[in-house]
Amino acid sequence: MHLERETTISTTEEQKTEVLPVADQAPPSDGAATEKPRVAEGVELIGKYEGSGFKEAPYIARRADGQVVQLAPLLYLIAEAADGQRTNEEIAAAVSEAIKRGVSADNVRQLTDERLRPLGVIAGANGSQPEIEKANPMLALKLKAALVPERVVNAITKVFKPLYFPPVVLAVLAGLAALDVWLFAYHGVAQSLRDVLYSPALLMMMLGLVILSAAFHECGHATACAYGGARPGVMGAGLYIVWPAFYTDVTDAYRLGKGGRLRTDLGGVYFNVIFILATAGAYGLTGYEPLLLIIPLQHLEIVHQFLPFIRLDGYYIVSDLTGVPDMFSRIKPTLASLLPWKEAGDRVTELKPWVRVVVTAYVLTVVPLLIFMFGMMLINAPRILSTAYDSFFVQYHKVQHAFHAGSVLSGSIGIFQMLILLLPAVGIMVTFWLVVRRMFSTVWARTAERPAARGAFVVAFGAAAAFLGYIWWPNGDYRPIQAGEKGTIQGAVRQFVAIPSGRPALTPQREAGLGGAPLLSSHGGSTTKPPEPTLINPGATTTDGTTATTDTTDNTDTTDTATDTTPTATEPSATVSTPDTTVEQTVLTETTSTTTP
């Protein structure tokens, strides 16, 4: 999911071209004065960039290839006067009158040849169209292919425009708030995750819904752009870094005011919210638990889209809030300017003071949230990995049964499901590796000539690795997610508090409450050996419902164990209480019904 705007940024030309006062204006150059430059074919001069964050607002023009060019006021005035009828001398006179400063024909020629023609704004001297190369900004979408033509996109926007009526927007946001309170504070998502992990085919359904939501997301951008009065372009797909992504060309949104541009930026996540409510409605009608897993996935996608450091929706939101089209290149100097020992550079001083405040506040809001989510991923990695591992071997035995029964199709589908089960584990590992590698390589490169700083970084990196090993070391916490676990925000906070225990994902107290959080065997029984009982009398039953004995046996088959350990009426003093027996029998019953081939 990707919001696409194509922008070419020019430098501050006034600083590079001498403009003389009117009284000292240089005489016109003979050759240059008679030239009649004109705007290149297909170029649209839009006007002043509304809501600019610059101390002096720039102007913008759109080229025939769809890219928007940011121009300094002097350049824009020259382009505006270049109608193919006026000579350079006449253009110079018109511009001088407009800015109340002297501009010569030589100034016009120089700016036309060195600035406007390379940008593709002014046609060649012989009237030919300039050969221009599209900008290739950092972290831009690559290998793009249009899939939905412009006329179809604009037809789609007419259907969805009512969703932007203010009463509808307020109702959608109120519905999201109510749904989130119910789901994350009361119902939870643990059972949805468990159902999906133990039925890997459901991951295909999840993938299909995520792809559908991505297409709907792009409809949100296009509709918001059209609602403001601009015309969206094509929808398509491309490669963003290494991942496939949809995109919508909403470059024309630059002609809108700040409010219209922000609506376009937020249109995608707004449609994600609508998709969330539609998913909740489907759950209300069907009661199908796995559907609820789409809701936190959509929330994660919304947070992902708000990232300001890559060219997703958040980048353009920050850009339009501050009124700086090239926001990506200014975040770093803006943050660096907050350091007391750093002097603010030109990339900061040319901006309005409030721009730096907005950028800083946004980053300081997003970064802690990302740290929280990344921390939850690291803390719960043992539980997620063990659940995937457990389900993998359950599916493995199902595949064995299928092939032994001669069902090649069922066995092949089972193999595919086993491969799908690897995705969550691989995703966690790859994400962790990419983050660590990028952080390490960046800091290592920047400390190349500072041995003290590099040494401090090595120490800090080693401490972080040791800490991660402390909470990831197998310590009884590699247990699958159990029936009855919810996965709420309150539980996440408790996990952070339990970090000193070394097993925040599953504390000993929580494990005891879950009956040991057992793994599953191929036939549906628990593969986790029950805790060693405390002997009361040889042959008597204990408080956990097992028969005490001095003979150590392998209790792998828990179905037989449960049968043989039923308390007898002849030994009432050692009989287990009814609630404990019920809990243990419930776990075994649910496990058996879930994993029977």
Side-chain angles (χ1 to χ4, degrees):
M1 290 172 282
H2 192 79
L3 188 155
E4 184 78 356
R5 294 194 204 166
E6 297 180 347
T7 312
T8 300
I9 307 300
S10 64
T11 56
T12 307
E13 287 78 8
E14 293 88 341
Q15 298 177 356
K16 297 188 176 183
T17 304
E18 182 181 3
V19 180
L20 303 176
V22 175
D24 301 325
Q25 183 172 334
S29 169
D30 289 340
T34 59
E35 184 186 354
K36 297 179 179 181
R38 66 176 178 82
V39 173
E41 185 177 350
V43 170
E44 180 185 5
L45 301 175
I46 296 176
K48 183 178 288 189
Y49 183 62
E50 298 295 335
S52 167
F54 294 88
K55 293 176 180 176
E56 184 176 5
Y59 289 72
I60 55 176
R62 187 172 184 178
R63 300 188 319 208
D65 64 355
Q67 285 193 266
V68 170
V69 181
Q70 178 184 317
L71 302 173
L74 177 58
L75 285 182
Y76 189 86
L77 288 172
I78 293 174
E80 197 173 39
D83 56 5
Q85 303 298 321
R86 300 179 185 180
T87 63
N88 283 342
E89 188 175 55
E90 291 171 333
I91 293 175
V95 173
S96 297
E97 177 65 22
I99 66 174
K100 306 303 181 185
R101 296 172 63 190
V103 178
S104 69
D106 279 343
N107 294 147
V108 173
R109 176 186 56 77
Q110 179 184 359
L111 290 173
T112 298
D113 290 342
E114 298 180 5
R115 300 288 182 262
L116 292 172
R117 283 194 173 116
L119 289 173
V121 177
I122 299 295
N126 59 357
S128 62
Q129 289 299 108
E131 292 185 5
I132 54 178
E133 185 177 349
K134 274 197 172 187
N136 186 25
M138 182 174 60
L139 294 179
L141 199 67
K142 307 294 183 183
L143 303 176
K144 295 185 297 183
L147 301 177
V148 184
E150 183 176 329
R151 67 179 184 279
V152 176
V153 172
N154 282 272
I156 292 173
T157 62
K158 292 179 182 179
V159 177
F160 292 128
K161 273 185 181 179
L163 293 175
Y164 283 97
F165 293 163
V168 177
V169 174
L170 291 176
V172 168
L173 297 180
L176 176 68
L179 175 63
D180 282 351
V181 170
W182 170 78
L183 179 63
F184 295 112
Y186 295 98
H187 186 276
V189 296
Q191 289 308 300
S192 301
L193 178 60
R194 183 176 186 270
D195 286 352
V196 170
L197 289 176
Y198 279 111
S199 300
L202 293 178
L203 289 175
M204 298 301 295
M205 182 191 77
M206 296 291 108
L207 179 61
L209 290 175
V210 167
I211 293 175
L212 180 62
S213 71
F216 195 61
H217 174 102
E218 299 306 325
C219 292
H221 287 308
T223 305
C225 180
Y227 185 84
R231 184 176 177 83
V234 300
M235 290 183 184
L239 196 63
Y240 192 65
I241 307 178
V242 296
W243 298 280
F246 292 126
Y247 75 91
T248 302
D249 184 357
V250 291
T251 304
D252 203 48
Y254 276 120
R255 70 172 64 254
L256 305 177
K258 179 178 291 187
R261 296 196 304 271
L262 284 171
R263 185 191 299 112
T264 302
D265 302 336
L266 293 167
V269 296
Y270 174 61
F271 269 43
N272 282 126
V273 172
I274 295 174
F275 195 87
I276 286 173
L277 296 180
T279 302
Y283 169 78
L285 292 174
T286 64
Y288 192 51
E289 194 72 25
L291 285 174
L292 293 180
L293 192 59
I294 288 293
I295 296 177
L297 290 178
Q298 290 297 299
H299 279 293
L300 289 174
E301 177 58 26
I302 289 173
V303 173
H304 171 241
Q305 286 293 329
F306 279 146
L307 288 175
F309 297 107
I310 53 179
R311 294 181 185 273
L312 299 174
D313 296 355
Y315 170 83
Y316 294 101
I317 291 171
V318 175
S319 174
D320 288 325
L321 280 173
T322 58
V324 183
D326 57 339
M327 194 65 220
F328 189 91
S329 63
R330 297 176 189 267
I331 291 180
K332 179 180 175 181
T334 299
L335 292 176
S337 68
L338 298 176
L339 301 174
W341 59 87
K342 289 267 189 178
E343 184 178 352
D346 293 339
R347 303 285 287 176
V348 173
T349 57
E350 67 179 350
L351 303 177
K352 295 176 181 179
W354 68 268
V355 171
R356 301 193 296 274
V357 175
V358 172
V359 173
T360 303
Y362 185 82
V363 172
L364 293 180
T365 300
V366 172
V367 170
L369 180 61
L370 293 177
I371 292 175
F372 174 81
M373 295 177 62
F374 191 68
M376 288 305 302
M377 182 189 75
L378 296 181
I379 286 176
N380 288 286
R383 302 291 313 277
I384 297 173
L385 294 176
S386 60
T387 305
Y389 169 88
D390 193 22
S391 180
F392 181 90
F393 282 100
V394 169
Q395 296 301 319
Y396 170 75
H397 289 289
K398 287 184 178 181
V399 169
Q400 280 188 322
H401 285 299
F403 280 117
H404 289 162
S407 178
V408 177
L409 178 60
S410 298
S412 301
I413 294 175
I415 292 175
F416 181 68
Q417 292 176 343
M418 291 169 62
L419 295 176
I420 293 176
L421 273 170
L422 297 176
L423 292 178
V426 172
I428 290 177
M429 294 296 101
V430 170
T431 300
F432 176 73
W433 166 251
L434 290 176
V435 170
V436 171
R437 187 184 67 175
R438 182 170 184 174
M439 182 184 302
F440 186 90
S441 60
T442 299
V443 177
W444 190 263
R446 292 182 180 179
T447 57
E449 299 180 358
R450 294 182 293 170
R454 176 170 287 185
F457 168 70
V458 170
V459 172
F461 188 84
F467 170 76
L468 188 63
Y470 176 65
I471 63 173
W472 274 8
W473 190 262
N475 189 27
D477 51 347
Y478 282 81
R479 293 287 186 270
I481 298 171
Q482 301 292 302
E485 293 190 81
K486 292 184 176 181
T488 60
I489 296 177
Q490 303 94 305
V493 173
R494 288 193 292 269
Q495 286 182 323
F496 274 102
V497 174
I499 285 178
S501 69
R503 45 182 297 180
L506 184 66
T507 61
Q509 296 80 5
R510 182 63 177 157
E511 181 183 4
L514 294 172
L519 294 169
L520 304 177
S521 70
S522 61
H523 59 272
S526 171
T527 60
T528 301
K529 187 176 180 178
E532 291 293 335
T534 301
L535 298 182
I536 300 175
N537 291 308
T541 55
T542 66
T543 57
D544 66 354
T546 59
T547 303
T549 177
T550 56
D551 183 21
T552 303
T553 60
D554 185 0
N555 291 325
T556 300
D557 192 342
T558 55
T559 304
D560 294 337
T561 302
T563 302
D564 295 337
T565 58
T566 303
T568 62
T570 58
E571 296 169 321
S573 62
T575 301
V576 69
S577 63
T578 302
D580 290 341
T581 305
T582 303
V583 171
E584 181 65 18
Q585 290 175 349
T586 300
V587 172
L588 291 175
T589 302
E590 291 179 357
T591 298
T592 303
S593 62
T594 302
T595 61
T596 300

